[in-house]
Structure formats: structure tokens, C-alpha cells
Amino acid sequence: MEVAVYGTGNLACAFAASLLDRRHKVMLYAKEGHRKVFDRIEEFDQLDAIGKIEGRYYPKLTRDLPALIAFSKFLVITPPSTEYKEIVADLNGFDLEDHTIICIGANFEARYLDRQIRARCVVETSTSPYTCRGYDRGHPDKIWIKEIKSTLEISATSNRPTSGLRKRIDDIFSVKHTWCEGFVEAGFSNVNGFVHPLVALFNAAAIQRKSPFSFVHDGMQPGVIRSMKMIERELQPIRNAYMAKNLNFLDTFNRWYSKNFKSWEDLAENSAPHKMGNSAPTSLESRVFMDDNLLLAKWYWLGKKAKIDSPKIHALLTTAQMLCGINFLADGKAFLQRVGWENLTVNDIRQIGIIERPQSDMTAWKRHFGRLVVRRVVQCQI
């Protein structure tokens, strides 16, 4: 299968290595201003992977977005959720009605993309399949894939995938998927939006000094974990309001990695992939701070919609704003407006993308053929 990958960051490189290792064909795309890793791959004419996936791989590379769109009907979006306005602007104007777009760890932004772009199907995963580090972390010419998750959650936005299409989407991943009942369940299953903001906030001085430390093993000290539990007590009722399965965050983490940690203290002390190397970010502009604080802000406002107050989350996000100057609370509220959720009820939002039963392939083909006929008629009239 050919797979087009938008992005060349750590996640995109890990994804490419996994796809190529499983004999798929891959094209990587990087736009202007985001080509540091792309240029290194191009310079060495190869992508080396170590860790859970080892090998030397040769993805196709392009700086031309039309070439990426033409390469495959499966487009994987890997940049952070904070870049989706830019991504949507890039993709607008392309005919993507035959394309399936897979948004990795998009934190509900697949819904925004789906509202702006007509695609055959848009899906979103709860997180990245890989725990990985890039070229600047002690392995200058390699992508280091530290761990591969056992499973992760995936949701459809509006057009539910057929059983055949779901099988092809599953084949793109090296991990088992749990298809969520409704769209928002994947976004509420992202443990990173709970763990990362607090750990980064309480270790902000070390991050800004670029001090090397293990983000989870060293960063989740007893006082941090105590604060995490307070935040979780506010978050869990919000998750319960929107999710059919009322798992807590630790249960979700254990499912991701096929572990059985009894507590956050147990996880911080004994999670092997999170003890490897100095995994902490070196800037508050990193994905684990910017992306996941914004996700926390989205949860906060969805909680408000469910009439759930969370003053500690509000305080955390206000403190994060004081540190970096980004008003996450305002951005989270603006997101609800961008995706048209500001006037919806909790039940309305829960119903988005509900997968009661997949369409048959014949039913989907008829609908797709009908859209093509309408489009051709309109073109002829013009």
C-alpha cells in the first residue's frame, strides 16, 4: 500500500520506518520552515531507525504538496494539533473526496479539518503509536523508537468508514486499534493531556535551563503526583460525561503499553521506556507543553458545557499562560467555536461520529458514486 505522510518530525520518521519495515511504500512531505529533519534524510539519502524498529529505510521525499496528494489516497497527518489551522490552509483547494485522512494525536482537530475539507473519511487517533526521539537526542543520524504501544484509540469524525476501509486503515498501523463509539472518545483518551502539562509546569525551570532529565521518571516526584491526583479528580467527571467507557487515565495508560501499574508512583518508578535517556523537552515551546495544555483547555471548556467546574485546571492553565504567554483558556474556548460546538449540548457532541455499525462497502460505494455524478454534472453545467 502507498501511504502519504504529511510531516518529517520524530513521529513522521517513526511512522515511515514502521511502514517501510512492513513493506508499504511511503512518501514524506515537509513544507518550508519545517525541513530540518527532511534535509538530513535527503543529505544522507536514507532514514535509519534503532530501538523497537531497526533498519535503514528509503522513503520517497517531496517538497511539493500536489505530489504528496497524488502519491496515495491515504494521507497521514503527523504535526502537532496546534498546527492544524496551517495544515487546513495548505490542503484547501485540493480534491480530496477520494482520500482518507488519518490525524495522529490531533486532540479533536480532525473535526476542524473535516469541517473545512471534503474527504472520503477523516479519522483521529488518541495519541502516537510510538514513543520516539529524533536526531538530536544522542543519535544524530537516526530515529530512536523507544517503545511501540500495544493499542490506541481511533475515532471517525462524520463519515463512518466502511468495514473494508477500516481494515485498510488498521493495516497502516503496526498496533491494534480500539475503534471508539463516538468521535470525542479518542480525544478524551489521550493521557498526555493529563500528565504532560503538570509535569512540565512543575519542572519548568529545569526545562528552560535545558537540564537533562527523564520527564516521567525524574519529573513525576511525589509532590507532582499529588497535584496530578487533584487534577484527575476534576477531569474524571468531565470524561465520564462524554465517554461511554469510564476508564481512568492510569487504566488507559496500562492498556496502551500492556502494563499493570498500580499507581502513578509505580509507573514513574518502573515504566522502562520512560526511564530511557533524557526524555524531557528542552523548551516550553515543545509539543508536550503547547499541544497538551491546549488539549487540557479544550477539556476544561467541554466540562463547562457539562456544568462541571474545575478551578484547579483553570489555575494550572493560568499559570501556564504566565510562563509562556499563551492564553490556553482563550484558545480552548475559540476551538469550540471553530468546530461548531459552542451551541451543541453534551449529548449532541457525544453523538458525533457514532459508529453503531460500519457501512457496507456497497452502500458506501453508491454514496461515493452519487457524489461523483453530482460533481461531474455541476462541472458540465459550468
Side-chain angles (χ1 to χ4, degrees):
M1 184 191 306
E2 291 89 9
V3 181
V5 179
Y6 184 111
T8 53
N10 296 338
L11 169 55
C13 290
F15 222 111
S18 174
L19 287 163
L20 291 163
D21 193 63
R22 289 176 287 124
R23 304 296 186 265
H24 295 299
K25 297 178 182 178
V26 178
M27 177 178 282
L28 292 172
Y29 164 78
K31 65 180 298 178
E32 191 70 40
H34 298 272
R35 292 179 179 159
K36 178 182 177 182
V37 177
F38 181 98
D39 290 342
R40 292 296 297 272
I41 298 171
E42 190 173 55
E43 177 185 353
F44 290 98
D45 195 29
Q46 64 197 35
L47 170 63
D48 284 346
I50 61 171
K52 293 294 182 177
I53 299 173
E54 296 205 0
R56 177 164 290 174
Y57 304 100
Y58 304 92
K60 295 180 182 292
L61 302 174
T62 187
R63 294 178 171 84
D64 183 45
L65 188 54
L68 183 78
I69 301 298
F71 179 75
S72 173
K73 299 300 183 185
F74 291 89
L75 177 61
V76 177
I77 308 291
T78 62
S81 66
T82 50
E83 296 182 19
Y84 264 70
K85 288 183 184 178
E86 188 177 331
I87 292 167
V88 167
D90 287 346
L91 295 177
N92 258 324
F94 287 98
D95 181 359
L96 298 170
E97 288 198 8
D98 295 332
H99 283 68
T100 295
I101 303 177
I102 303 168
C103 305
I104 307 299
N107 299 343
F108 304 124
E109 293 291 344
R111 181 65 176 175
Y112 171 62
L113 185 147
D114 187 45
R115 282 168 57 86
Q116 302 298 318
I117 293 171
R118 292 177 61 87
R120 179 185 182 188
C121 182
V122 179
V123 299
E124 174 178 302
T125 68
S126 57
T127 185
S128 161
Y130 313 103
T131 301
C132 54
R133 293 292 177 265
Y135 291 86
D136 58 341
R137 290 300 180 93
H139 300 275
D141 300 312
K142 298 175 173 66
I143 181 71
W144 180 21
I145 301 169
K146 297 166 62 177
E147 191 60 86
I148 302 174
K149 293 181 176 69
S150 301
T151 187
L152 50 79
E153 301 76 17
I154 187 167
S155 294
T157 53
S158 56
N159 292 336
R160 298 192 298 272
T162 67
S163 55
L165 181 56
R166 283 174 67 173
K167 175 63 169 61
R168 298 197 74 190
I169 293 170
D170 289 342
D171 288 344
I172 289 173
F173 292 86
S174 60
V175 305
K176 178 184 175 183
H177 277 105
T178 300
W179 281 89
C180 297
E181 180 181 340
F183 169 67
V184 294
E185 289 198 15
F188 272 110
S189 298
N190 190 350
V191 179
N192 299 333
F194 161 61
V195 173
H196 289 170
L198 254 174
V199 178
L201 184 65
F202 279 89
N203 292 275
I207 291 171
Q208 291 185 309
R209 284 197 305 269
K210 303 187 186 304
S211 301
F213 68 97
S214 168
F215 191 63
V216 171
H217 181 64
D218 298 325
M220 284 174 57
Q221 292 300 309
V224 178
I225 293 175
R226 188 180 307 114
S227 301
M228 287 171 58
K229 292 175 181 177
M230 294 179 185
I231 295 295
E232 186 169 24
R233 281 195 289 271
E234 292 190 345
L235 275 175
Q236 197 59 47
I238 302 173
R239 296 180 87 212
N240 293 347
Y242 289 92
M243 296 178 68
K245 298 177 182 178
N246 297 333
L247 295 175
N248 63 39
F249 283 111
L250 186 60
D251 290 338
T252 302
F253 184 94
N254 281 331
R255 289 180 66 254
W256 281 1
Y257 291 99
S258 293
K259 300 297 183 183
N260 190 31
F261 295 116
K262 304 300 184 186
S263 65
W264 292 109
E265 291 86 351
D266 182 20
L267 184 154
E269 183 62 30
N270 298 306
S271 178
H274 295 92
K275 294 167 71 173
M276 296 179 189
N278 300 318
S279 58
T282 56
S283 166
L284 293 181
E285 296 180 357
S286 68
R287 187 170 190 158
V288 302
F289 192 78
M290 305 299 267
D291 226 37
D292 295 327
N293 269 297
L294 179 56
L295 175 58
L296 186 61
K298 294 171 184 176
W299 290 344
Y300 172 84
W301 288 110
L302 287 168
K304 282 288 191 183
K305 184 172 285 292
K307 303 187 185 312
I308 298 170
D309 288 327
S310 42
K312 292 181 177 63
I313 295 174
H314 188 282
L316 191 159
L317 292 167
T318 301
T319 307
Q321 178 184 352
M322 293 167 64
L323 274 173
C324 69
I326 303 296
N327 191 334
F328 295 107
L329 284 163
D331 289 347
K333 190 172 186 179
F335 164 79
L336 296 188
Q337 297 170 341
R338 276 196 290 119
V339 296
W341 289 358
E342 73 274 26
N343 295 319
L344 297 186
T345 67
V346 170
N347 190 58
D348 290 337
I349 295 172
R350 283 189 61 159
Q351 294 300 312
I352 294 170
I354 284 288
I355 301 178
E356 295 170 347
R357 68 173 63 88
Q359 306 172 42
S360 71
D361 291 333
M362 180 58 70
T363 299
W365 182 85
K366 288 177 179 177
R367 290 179 180 174
H368 179 61
F369 181 74
R371 289 199 305 268
L372 290 177
V373 169
V374 169
R375 189 171 61 187
R376 295 293 183 265
V377 169
V378 170
Q379 287 174 345
C380 289
Q381 289 175 344
I382 293 173

Short mmCIF file of all heavy atoms in Angstrom, two decimals, residues 54-106:
data_model
loop_
_atom_site.label_atom_id
_atom_site.label_comp_id
_atom_site.label_asym_id
_atom_site.label_seq_id
_atom_site.Cartn_x
_atom_site.Cartn_y
_atom_site.Cartn_z
N GLU A 54 14.46 -1.54 13.81
CA GLU A 54 15.85 -1.30 13.42
C GLU A 54 16.00 -1.57 11.93
O GLU A 54 15.52 -2.58 11.42
CB GLU A 54 16.80 -2.18 14.23
CG GLU A 54 16.78 -1.87 15.71
CD GLU A 54 18.09 -2.27 16.40
OE1 GLU A 54 18.99 -2.78 15.71
OE2 GLU A 54 18.19 -2.06 17.61
N GLY A 55 16.67 -0.65 11.26
CA GLY A 55 16.92 -0.85 9.85
C GLY A 55 17.25 0.46 9.15
O GLY A 55 17.23 1.54 9.75
N ARG A 56 17.59 0.35 7.90
CA ARG A 56 17.86 1.51 7.05
C ARG A 56 16.78 1.54 5.97
O ARG A 56 16.57 0.56 5.25
CB ARG A 56 19.26 1.40 6.43
CG ARG A 56 19.61 2.51 5.47
CD ARG A 56 21.10 2.56 5.22
NE ARG A 56 21.79 3.02 6.43
CZ ARG A 56 23.12 3.06 6.56
NH1 ARG A 56 23.90 2.64 5.57
NH2 ARG A 56 23.67 3.51 7.68
N TYR A 57 16.13 2.68 5.86
CA TYR A 57 14.95 2.77 5.00
C TYR A 57 15.10 3.93 4.02
O TYR A 57 15.85 4.88 4.27
CB TYR A 57 13.70 2.93 5.85
CG TYR A 57 13.55 1.82 6.86
CD1 TYR A 57 13.90 2.02 8.20
CD2 TYR A 57 13.09 0.56 6.48
CE1 TYR A 57 13.78 1.00 9.13
CE2 TYR A 57 12.97 -0.47 7.40
CZ TYR A 57 13.32 -0.24 8.72
OH TYR A 57 13.21 -1.26 9.63
N TYR A 58 14.34 3.83 2.93
CA TYR A 58 14.48 4.80 1.84
C TYR A 58 13.11 5.34 1.42
O TYR A 58 12.58 4.97 0.37
CB TYR A 58 15.20 4.14 0.66
CG TYR A 58 16.53 3.56 1.03
CD1 TYR A 58 16.64 2.22 1.43
CD2 TYR A 58 17.69 4.34 1.05
CE1 TYR A 58 17.85 1.68 1.80
CE2 TYR A 58 18.91 3.81 1.41
CZ TYR A 58 18.99 2.48 1.80
OH TYR A 58 20.20 1.95 2.18
N PRO A 59 12.55 6.22 2.23
CA PRO A 59 11.25 6.81 1.85
C PRO A 59 11.42 7.77 0.68
O PRO A 59 12.48 8.38 0.50
CB PRO A 59 10.83 7.56 3.11
CG PRO A 59 12.13 7.93 3.77
CD PRO A 59 13.07 6.78 3.49
N LYS A 60 10.37 7.93 -0.10
CA LYS A 60 10.36 8.99 -1.10
C LYS A 60 10.20 10.32 -0.38
O LYS A 60 9.53 10.40 0.66
CB LYS A 60 9.22 8.78 -2.09
CG LYS A 60 9.34 7.54 -2.95
CD LYS A 60 8.14 7.43 -3.90
CE LYS A 60 8.24 6.16 -4.74
NZ LYS A 60 9.37 6.22 -5.69
N LEU A 61 10.80 11.36 -0.89
CA LEU A 61 10.74 12.68 -0.28
C LEU A 61 10.18 13.69 -1.28
O LEU A 61 10.45 13.59 -2.48
CB LEU A 61 12.13 13.14 0.17
CG LEU A 61 12.89 12.25 1.16
CD1 LEU A 61 14.30 12.79 1.37
CD2 LEU A 61 12.16 12.16 2.48
N THR A 62 9.41 14.64 -0.79
CA THR A 62 8.91 15.69 -1.68
C THR A 62 8.73 16.99 -0.90
O THR A 62 8.37 16.97 0.28
CB THR A 62 7.58 15.28 -2.35
OG1 THR A 62 7.23 16.27 -3.32
CG2 THR A 62 6.45 15.15 -1.34
N ARG A 63 9.00 18.09 -1.60
CA ARG A 63 8.66 19.43 -1.09
C ARG A 63 7.39 19.95 -1.76
O ARG A 63 6.98 21.08 -1.51
CB ARG A 63 9.81 20.39 -1.35
CG ARG A 63 11.09 20.09 -0.59
CD ARG A 63 12.17 21.10 -0.97
NE ARG A 63 13.35 21.00 -0.14
CZ ARG A 63 14.34 20.14 -0.35
NH1 ARG A 63 14.28 19.31 -1.38
NH2 ARG A 63 15.39 20.11 0.47
N ASP A 64 6.81 19.11 -2.61
CA ASP A 64 5.69 19.51 -3.45
C ASP A 64 4.41 18.86 -2.92
O ASP A 64 4.23 17.65 -3.02
CB ASP A 64 5.96 19.06 -4.90
CG ASP A 64 4.87 19.49 -5.85
OD1 ASP A 64 4.44 20.65 -5.78
OD2 ASP A 64 4.42 18.65 -6.66
N LEU A 65 3.50 19.67 -2.36
CA LEU A 65 2.28 19.12 -1.77
C LEU A 65 1.39 18.43 -2.81
O LEU A 65 0.84 17.35 -2.52
CB LEU A 65 1.50 20.23 -1.04
CG LEU A 65 0.29 19.78 -0.22
CD1 LEU A 65 0.66 18.67 0.77
CD2 LEU A 65 -0.32 20.96 0.51
N PRO A 66 1.22 18.95 -4.03
CA PRO A 66 0.43 18.21 -5.03
C PRO A 66 0.99 16.81 -5.29
O PRO A 66 0.22 15.86 -5.50
CB PRO A 66 0.51 19.09 -6.28
CG PRO A 66 0.71 20.48 -5.74
CD PRO A 66 1.57 20.31 -4.52
N ALA A 67 2.32 16.66 -5.26
CA ALA A 67 2.92 15.34 -5.47
C ALA A 67 2.55 14.40 -4.33
O ALA A 67 2.30 13.21 -4.54
CB ALA A 67 4.44 15.46 -5.59
N LEU A 68 2.52 14.92 -3.10
CA LEU A 68 2.13 14.10 -1.95
C LEU A 68 0.69 13.65 -2.09
O LEU A 68 0.37 12.47 -1.86
CB LEU A 68 2.30 14.89 -0.66
CG LEU A 68 2.00 14.11 0.62
CD1 LEU A 68 3.17 13.20 0.97
CD2 LEU A 68 1.69 15.05 1.79
N ILE A 69 -0.21 14.56 -2.47
CA ILE A 69 -1.63 14.24 -2.60
C ILE A 69 -1.83 13.18 -3.69
O ILE A 69 -2.67 12.28 -3.56
CB ILE A 69 -2.45 15.50 -2.94
CG1 ILE A 69 -2.29 16.56 -1.84
CG2 ILE A 69 -3.90 15.16 -3.17
CD1 ILE A 69 -2.78 16.14 -0.49
N ALA A 70 -1.06 13.28 -4.77
CA ALA A 70 -1.20 12.33 -5.88
C ALA A 70 -0.60 10.96 -5.56
O ALA A 70 -0.97 9.96 -6.18
CB ALA A 70 -0.53 12.91 -7.13
N PHE A 71 0.28 10.89 -4.59
CA PHE A 71 1.01 9.65 -4.31
C PHE A 71 0.10 8.56 -3.74
O PHE A 71 0.25 7.38 -4.04
CB PHE A 71 2.15 9.94 -3.33
CG PHE A 71 2.96 8.73 -2.95
CD1 PHE A 71 3.86 8.17 -3.84
CD2 PHE A 71 2.81 8.14 -1.69
CE1 PHE A 71 4.61 7.05 -3.49
CE2 PHE A 71 3.55 7.03 -1.33
CZ PHE A 71 4.46 6.48 -2.24
N SER A 72 -0.87 8.94 -2.91
CA SER A 72 -1.70 7.94 -2.23
C SER A 72 -3.06 8.52 -1.86
O SER A 72 -3.19 9.73 -1.64
CB SER A 72 -1.00 7.44 -0.96
OG SER A 72 -1.85 6.60 -0.20
N LYS A 73 -4.04 7.64 -1.75
CA LYS A 73 -5.37 8.03 -1.27
C LYS A 73 -5.43 7.97 0.26
O LYS A 73 -6.50 8.24 0.84
CB LYS A 73 -6.44 7.13 -1.86
CG LYS A 73 -6.53 7.18 -3.38
CD LYS A 73 -6.83 8.58 -3.89
CE LYS A 73 -6.98 8.58 -5.41
NZ LYS A 73 -7.15 9.97 -5.93
N PHE A 74 -4.33 7.62 0.90
CA PHE A 74 -4.25 7.60 2.37
C PHE A 74 -3.22 8.63 2.81
O PHE A 74 -2.03 8.50 2.50
CB PHE A 74 -3.88 6.20 2.88
CG PHE A 74 -4.97 5.20 2.69
CD1 PHE A 74 -5.05 4.46 1.52
CD2 PHE A 74 -5.95 5.03 3.66
CE1 PHE A 74 -6.07 3.54 1.31
CE2 PHE A 74 -6.98 4.11 3.46
CZ PHE A 74 -7.04 3.38 2.30
N LEU A 75 -3.68 9.65 3.51
CA LEU A 75 -2.84 10.75 3.93
C LEU A 75 -2.78 10.77 5.46
O LEU A 75 -3.81 10.93 6.13
CB LEU A 75 -3.42 12.07 3.40
CG LEU A 75 -2.72 13.37 3.81
CD1 LEU A 75 -1.28 13.39 3.30
CD2 LEU A 75 -3.48 14.58 3.27
N VAL A 76 -1.58 10.61 6.00
CA VAL A 76 -1.36 10.60 7.45
C VAL A 76 -0.81 11.96 7.86
O VAL A 76 0.21 12.41 7.34
CB VAL A 76 -0.39 9.48 7.87
CG1 VAL A 76 -0.13 9.53 9.36
CG2 VAL A 76 -0.94 8.12 7.47
N ILE A 77 -1.50 12.63 8.79
CA ILE A 77 -1.10 13.95 9.28
C ILE A 77 -0.41 13.77 10.63
O ILE A 77 -1.00 13.26 11.58
CB ILE A 77 -2.32 14.89 9.45
CG1 ILE A 77 -3.15 14.92 8.16
CG2 ILE A 77 -1.87 16.28 9.86
CD1 ILE A 77 -2.49 15.59 7.00
N THR A 78 0.87 14.18 10.73
CA THR A 78 1.64 13.93 11.95
C THR A 78 2.02 15.17 12.78
O THR A 78 2.40 15.00 13.94
CB THR A 78 2.94 13.18 11.62
OG1 THR A 78 3.76 14.00 10.75
CG2 THR A 78 2.66 11.85 10.94
N PRO A 79 1.94 16.41 12.26
CA PRO A 79 2.35 17.55 13.09
C PRO A 79 1.43 17.75 14.31
O PRO A 79 0.34 17.17 14.38
CB PRO A 79 2.25 18.75 12.13
CG PRO A 79 2.40 18.15 10.77
CD PRO A 79 1.70 16.82 10.87
N PRO A 80 1.86 18.58 15.26
CA PRO A 80 1.05 18.83 16.47
C PRO A 80 -0.30 19.45 16.14
O PRO A 80 -0.49 20.09 15.09
CB PRO A 80 1.92 19.81 17.28
CG PRO A 80 3.30 19.64 16.76
CD PRO A 80 3.16 19.28 15.31
N SER A 81 -1.24 19.32 17.07
CA SER A 81 -2.58 19.84 16.86
C SER A 81 -2.58 21.36 16.74
O SER A 81 -3.48 21.94 16.13
CB SER A 81 -3.50 19.42 18.01
OG SER A 81 -3.10 20.01 19.23
N THR A 82 -1.58 22.02 17.32
CA THR A 82 -1.50 23.48 17.24
C THR A 82 -1.24 23.98 15.82
O THR A 82 -1.38 25.16 15.55
CB THR A 82 -0.38 23.99 18.17
OG1 THR A 82 0.82 23.25 17.91
CG2 THR A 82 -0.76 23.83 19.64
N GLU A 83 -0.88 23.09 14.89
CA GLU A 83 -0.58 23.48 13.52
C GLU A 83 -1.73 23.21 12.55
O GLU A 83 -1.57 23.37 11.34
CB GLU A 83 0.69 22.76 13.04
CG GLU A 83 1.94 23.14 13.82
CD GLU A 83 3.20 22.47 13.30
OE1 GLU A 83 3.18 21.99 12.15
OE2 GLU A 83 4.20 22.41 14.05
N TYR A 84 -2.89 22.81 13.06
CA TYR A 84 -3.95 22.37 12.15
C TYR A 84 -4.56 23.51 11.33
O TYR A 84 -5.03 23.27 10.21
CB TYR A 84 -5.02 21.58 12.90
CG TYR A 84 -4.76 20.09 12.79
CD1 TYR A 84 -3.68 19.53 13.47
CD2 TYR A 84 -5.53 19.27 11.99
CE1 TYR A 84 -3.41 18.17 13.37
CE2 TYR A 84 -5.28 17.92 11.88
CZ TYR A 84 -4.20 17.38 12.57
OH TYR A 84 -3.92 16.03 12.45
N LYS A 85 -4.57 24.71 11.84
CA LYS A 85 -5.06 25.82 11.01
C LYS A 85 -4.19 25.96 9.76
O LYS A 85 -4.69 26.14 8.64
CB LYS A 85 -5.04 27.12 11.81
CG LYS A 85 -6.11 27.23 12.88
CD LYS A 85 -6.02 28.60 13.56
CE LYS A 85 -7.01 28.72 14.69
NZ LYS A 85 -6.89 30.03 15.39
N GLU A 86 -2.88 25.85 9.95
CA GLU A 86 -1.94 25.94 8.84
C GLU A 86 -2.09 24.75 7.90
O GLU A 86 -2.04 24.90 6.67
CB GLU A 86 -0.52 25.99 9.42
CG GLU A 86 0.58 26.28 8.43
CD GLU A 86 1.93 26.37 9.12
OE1 GLU A 86 1.99 26.76 10.30
OE2 GLU A 86 2.94 26.05 8.45
N ILE A 87 -2.28 23.56 8.46
CA ILE A 87 -2.44 22.36 7.64
C ILE A 87 -3.70 22.45 6.79
O ILE A 87 -3.69 22.14 5.59
CB ILE A 87 -2.47 21.11 8.54
CG1 ILE A 87 -1.10 20.89 9.19
CG2 ILE A 87 -2.87 19.87 7.73
CD1 ILE A 87 -1.11 19.88 10.32
N VAL A 88 -4.80 22.89 7.40
CA VAL A 88 -6.06 23.03 6.67
C VAL A 88 -5.90 24.05 5.54
O VAL A 88 -6.39 23.84 4.42
CB VAL A 88 -7.19 23.42 7.62
CG1 VAL A 88 -8.43 23.89 6.85
CG2 VAL A 88 -7.56 22.24 8.52
N ALA A 89 -5.21 25.15 5.82
CA ALA A 89 -4.97 26.16 4.77
C ALA A 89 -4.18 25.56 3.62
O ALA A 89 -4.43 25.87 2.44
CB ALA A 89 -4.24 27.36 5.37
N ASP A 90 -3.20 24.69 3.93
CA ASP A 90 -2.41 24.04 2.88
C ASP A 90 -3.25 23.11 2.02
O ASP A 90 -3.09 23.04 0.80
CB ASP A 90 -1.26 23.23 3.51
CG ASP A 90 -0.15 24.10 4.06
OD1 ASP A 90 -0.13 25.30 3.74
OD2 ASP A 90 0.69 23.57 4.82
N LEU A 91 -4.16 22.37 2.67
CA LEU A 91 -4.92 21.33 1.96
C LEU A 91 -6.14 21.88 1.23
O LEU A 91 -6.66 21.23 0.32
CB LEU A 91 -5.35 20.24 2.93
CG LEU A 91 -4.22 19.42 3.57
CD1 LEU A 91 -4.80 18.41 4.56
CD2 LEU A 91 -3.40 18.70 2.51
N ASN A 92 -6.60 23.05 1.64
CA ASN A 92 -7.75 23.66 0.97
C ASN A 92 -7.45 23.87 -0.51
O ASN A 92 -6.37 24.33 -0.88
CB ASN A 92 -8.11 25.00 1.63
CG ASN A 92 -9.31 24.86 2.54
OD1 ASN A 92 -10.23 24.10 2.25
ND2 ASN A 92 -9.31 25.58 3.65
N GLY A 93 -8.41 23.56 -1.34
CA GLY A 93 -8.22 23.73 -2.77
C GLY A 93 -7.87 22.44 -3.49
O GLY A 93 -7.96 22.36 -4.71
N PHE A 94 -7.47 21.41 -2.74
CA PHE A 94 -7.20 20.11 -3.34
C PHE A 94 -8.48 19.26 -3.36
O PHE A 94 -9.30 19.35 -2.45
CB PHE A 94 -6.11 19.36 -2.57
CG PHE A 94 -4.72 19.92 -2.77
CD1 PHE A 94 -4.18 20.80 -1.84
CD2 PHE A 94 -3.96 19.58 -3.87
CE1 PHE A 94 -2.92 21.32 -2.01
CE2 PHE A 94 -2.70 20.08 -4.06
CZ PHE A 94 -2.17 20.96 -3.12
N ASP A 95 -8.59 18.44 -4.38
CA ASP A 95 -9.70 17.50 -4.45
C ASP A 95 -9.33 16.27 -3.62
O ASP A 95 -8.51 15.45 -4.03
CB ASP A 95 -9.97 17.10 -5.91
CG ASP A 95 -11.14 16.13 -6.05
OD1 ASP A 95 -11.73 15.77 -5.01
OD2 ASP A 95 -11.45 15.74 -7.19
N LEU A 96 -9.93 16.14 -2.46
CA LEU A 96 -9.61 15.05 -1.54
C LEU A 96 -10.80 14.13 -1.28
O LEU A 96 -10.80 13.37 -0.32
CB LEU A 96 -9.10 15.63 -0.21
CG LEU A 96 -7.81 16.45 -0.29
CD1 LEU A 96 -7.55 17.16 1.03
CD2 LEU A 96 -6.63 15.56 -0.65
N GLU A 97 -11.80 14.17 -2.16
CA GLU A 97 -13.01 13.38 -1.93
C GLU A 97 -12.78 11.88 -2.00
O GLU A 97 -13.60 11.10 -1.51
CB GLU A 97 -14.10 13.80 -2.91
CG GLU A 97 -14.69 15.17 -2.61
CD GLU A 97 -16.02 15.39 -3.29
OE1 GLU A 97 -16.57 14.43 -3.88
OE2 GLU A 97 -16.53 16.51 -3.23
N ASP A 98 -11.67 11.47 -2.59
CA ASP A 98 -11.33 10.04 -2.63
C ASP A 98 -10.32 9.67 -1.55
O ASP A 98 -9.91 8.52 -1.47
CB ASP A 98 -10.75 9.67 -3.99
CG ASP A 98 -11.77 9.81 -5.12
OD1 ASP A 98 -12.97 9.66 -4.83
OD2 ASP A 98 -11.36 10.06 -6.27
N HIS A 99 -9.91 10.64 -0.74
CA HIS A 99 -8.84 10.41 0.23
C HIS A 99 -9.38 10.09 1.62
O HIS A 99 -10.40 10.62 2.04
CB HIS A 99 -7.94 11.65 0.33
CG HIS A 99 -6.98 11.79 -0.82
ND1 HIS A 99 -7.40 12.07 -2.09
CD2 HIS A 99 -5.62 11.69 -0.87
CE1 HIS A 99 -6.34 12.15 -2.90
NE2 HIS A 99 -5.25 11.90 -2.18
N THR A 100 -8.65 9.24 2.31
CA THR A 100 -8.86 9.01 3.73
C THR A 100 -7.73 9.71 4.47
O THR A 100 -6.54 9.48 4.18
CB THR A 100 -8.84 7.51 4.06
OG1 THR A 100 -9.95 6.88 3.41
CG2 THR A 100 -8.92 7.26 5.55
N ILE A 101 -8.09 10.59 5.40
CA ILE A 101 -7.11 11.38 6.14
C ILE A 101 -7.04 10.87 7.57
O ILE A 101 -8.06 10.78 8.26
CB ILE A 101 -7.46 12.87 6.11
CG1 ILE A 101 -7.57 13.36 4.65
CG2 ILE A 101 -6.43 13.70 6.87
CD1 ILE A 101 -7.98 14.82 4.51
N ILE A 102 -5.85 10.51 8.00
CA ILE A 102 -5.62 9.93 9.33
C ILE A 102 -4.82 10.93 10.15
O ILE A 102 -3.67 11.22 9.84
CB ILE A 102 -4.87 8.59 9.22
CG1 ILE A 102 -5.66 7.62 8.34
CG2 ILE A 102 -4.63 7.99 10.60
CD1 ILE A 102 -4.88 6.37 7.94
N CYS A 103 -5.44 11.48 11.17
CA CYS A 103 -4.83 12.53 12.00
C CYS A 103 -4.29 11.88 13.28
O CYS A 103 -5.07 11.34 14.07
CB CYS A 103 -5.85 13.60 12.33
SG CYS A 103 -6.64 14.33 10.87
N ILE A 104 -3.00 11.94 13.49
CA ILE A 104 -2.37 11.25 14.62
C ILE A 104 -2.33 12.18 15.84
O ILE A 104 -1.72 13.26 15.79
CB ILE A 104 -0.94 10.79 14.26
CG1 ILE A 104 -0.94 9.97 12.97
CG2 ILE A 104 -0.34 10.00 15.42
CD1 ILE A 104 -1.77 8.71 13.04
N GLY A 105 -2.99 11.74 16.92
CA GLY A 105 -2.97 12.52 18.15
C GLY A 105 -3.38 13.97 17.95
O GLY A 105 -2.75 14.89 18.48
N ALA A 106 -4.48 14.18 17.21
CA ALA A 106 -4.85 15.54 16.79
C ALA A 106 -5.65 16.31 17.84
O ALA A 106 -5.95 17.48 17.63
CB ALA A 106 -5.63 15.49 15.48
#
